[in-house]
Amino acid sequence: MELTQHQADAFARMPLTYLRQEYPNHIMHLLNDDGDVLSPRQMHPIFYGCFDWHSAVHGYWLLLRCVRLYPELPCRDDIIALFDEHITEEKVAQELAYFNAPFRASFERPYGYGWLLALAQELKQSSLPQAPAWHQVLEPLTQDIRHRLMAYLSKLTYPIRVGTHYNTAFALALGVDYARELKDRTLEVAIVEAATRFYQADTNYPAHYEPGGDEYISGALTEALLMSKVAAHFPAWFDTFLPDVEAVSALMNPAEVSDRTDPKIAHLDGLNLSRAWCMKHIAKALPENHAAQAPLRNAVDRHLAASVEHVVGSHYSGGHWLASFALLALE
């Protein structure tokens, strides 16, 4: 199953609508005083839509990625208009000021960090003639997030392995791609060293305990995805990390989604899609004759079949974010 232009256009039209939709909104907001009692749009004049800050960030990422994959996308002009409207120096300054207020050091850390860097990477790679200007306007926030990620890694003693926003490996997988595309050797080294420290010695990961009831990423597969990007001898590492991956039924078969209107249970559609994304990339990093090749590729098909048709037209509980993960899974 491969991404088509029709699918890309359908996916893009979701954030095109939702990035301007302020409510309902799930804000993670620390108030320092009465003056901080503000609406989502007042706090985040760029990333106020799509239900929460990080989903707004990867909504913009999705739009750029779709145009990069399909330059003649029917909604191309609408995407350009949205970026022109939102990516301004004044609005970026407001977003940056939010991060720098007291007691907000952990805001969107690390998930939002990873997606902001991914957005900056897409701006850098975009062929849209306006993209270099947007990239430059966003740069103060990008550099602030870059510094925050490096500072976080310098003091994070233990990796966070949960299947939700706080997962360390997910953010580092996005971050290392940004670092390499931007030729940011300092950030790349920091991420590779952190990944090695956190994960190099991992063996026999207990993937049979997955999934948790509200997870949208696999702790096991996301870690393996990251290590496929940074480990010197990834196939050998993978063989000790998940030595008989085909036998782990809970990992190789898609999660059941009982209620797609429930914001947490709807996470499981994202889990199926993100697993497919991880499995694809893990398989590419293994030798063609590796025993896991066929099981991984078959599992990709099962996971896509379980969830990809539930993305377009889905309830807002999943609709505000699932298209980004569907895009990753189908590329």
Side-chain angles (χ1 to χ4, degrees):
M1 191 180 299
E2 300 292 335
L3 181 74
T4 66
Q5 179 170 309
H6 176 75
Q7 282 177 311
D9 186 66
F11 289 164
R13 291 184 185 279
M14 298 171 75
L16 272 174
T17 298
Y18 298 149
L19 284 166
R20 291 191 176 97
Q21 181 173 319
E22 188 171 4
Y23 298 104
N25 200 299
H26 183 266
I27 57 173
M28 297 287 288
H29 178 45
L30 185 139
L31 291 83
N32 283 294
D33 54 41
D34 289 351
D36 281 340
V37 181
L38 300 167
S39 71
R41 190 165 189 161
Q42 288 173 307
M43 291 186 289
H44 302 297
I46 302 174
F47 306 118
Y48 61 86
C50 282
F51 195 70
D52 47 40
W53 193 89
H54 48 261
S55 298
V57 173
H58 65 71
Y60 284 98
W61 169 88
L62 166 69
L63 296 176
L64 288 172
R65 188 70 151 245
C66 287
V67 172
R68 180 154 67 91
L69 294 170
Y70 292 102
E72 302 305 319
L73 202 68
C75 59
R76 170 192 170 106
D77 290 345
D78 294 329
I79 291 171
I80 292 170
L82 180 76
F83 273 80
D84 278 338
E85 175 187 334
H86 286 84
I87 308 299
T88 69
E89 290 183 0
E90 179 183 3
K91 291 177 179 180
V92 169
Q94 278 186 258
E95 294 282 357
L96 180 58
Y98 186 90
F99 276 88
N100 285 287
F103 297 105
R104 292 186 184 149
S106 64
F107 178 68
E108 287 292 348
R109 187 182 74 189
Y111 185 71
Y113 291 10
W115 275 119
L116 195 283
L117 295 178
L119 171 58
Q121 178 185 343
E122 277 299 317
L123 285 167
K124 187 69 173 178
Q125 294 175 298
S126 176
S127 61
L128 291 174
Q130 302 89 342
W134 296 332
H135 181 271
Q136 189 60 38
V137 169
L138 191 66
E139 188 69 358
L141 180 60
T142 303
Q143 289 304 310
D144 184 77
I145 294 299
R146 172 195 178 275
H147 289 302
R148 288 174 185 275
L149 179 58
M150 291 183 64
Y152 180 53
L153 294 179
S154 73
K155 62 186 176 183
L156 186 66
T157 306
Y158 313 104
I160 301 172
R161 302 175 186 272
V162 296
T164 52
H165 307 83
Y166 302 104
N167 183 282
T168 306
F170 184 93
L172 296 190
L174 297 183
V176 77
D177 287 348
Y178 163 86
R180 288 169 175 167
E181 177 64 28
L182 276 292
K183 297 179 172 55
D184 186 339
R185 181 62 178 163
T186 302
L187 178 60
E188 180 184 1
V189 168
I191 291 173
V192 171
E193 289 181 348
T196 302
R197 183 172 79 251
F198 293 148
Y199 306 119
Q200 185 64 46
D202 282 4
T203 60
N204 294 300
Y205 193 92
H208 59 284
Y209 288 126
E210 296 186 20
D214 70 345
E215 293 183 335
Y216 62 89
I217 55 177
S218 161
L221 294 174
T222 304
E223 178 178 336
L225 171 70
L226 171 63
M227 294 304 283
S228 75
K229 298 173 182 287
V230 304
H233 305 287
F234 173 70
W237 178 89
F238 185 79
D239 287 343
T240 60
F241 179 66
L242 289 172
D244 190 11
V245 67
E246 183 178 10
V248 188
S249 177
L251 188 68
M252 301 300 281
N253 290 292
E256 177 185 344
V257 187
S258 63
D259 183 357
R260 291 185 165 89
T261 69
D262 185 294
K264 291 292 189 179
I265 293 176
H267 275 184
L268 294 171
D269 271 323
L271 174 68
N272 291 336
L273 296 169
S274 67
R275 279 181 172 183
W277 168 56
C278 290
M279 289 173 181
K280 275 188 175 181
H281 285 273
I282 292 164
K284 289 177 183 177
L286 294 172
E288 281 299 320
N289 62 351
H290 194 279
Q293 281 287 357
L296 287 171
R297 295 183 187 279
N298 291 335
V300 168
D301 293 340
R302 290 193 295 273
H303 281 79
L304 285 172
S307 289
V308 76
E309 295 302 323
H310 295 287
V311 174
V312 176
S314 57
H315 187 274
Y316 196 55
S317 295
H320 73 275
W321 66 281
L322 280 174
S324 295
F325 282 76
L327 182 61
L328 288 172
L330 287 170
E331 280 190 5

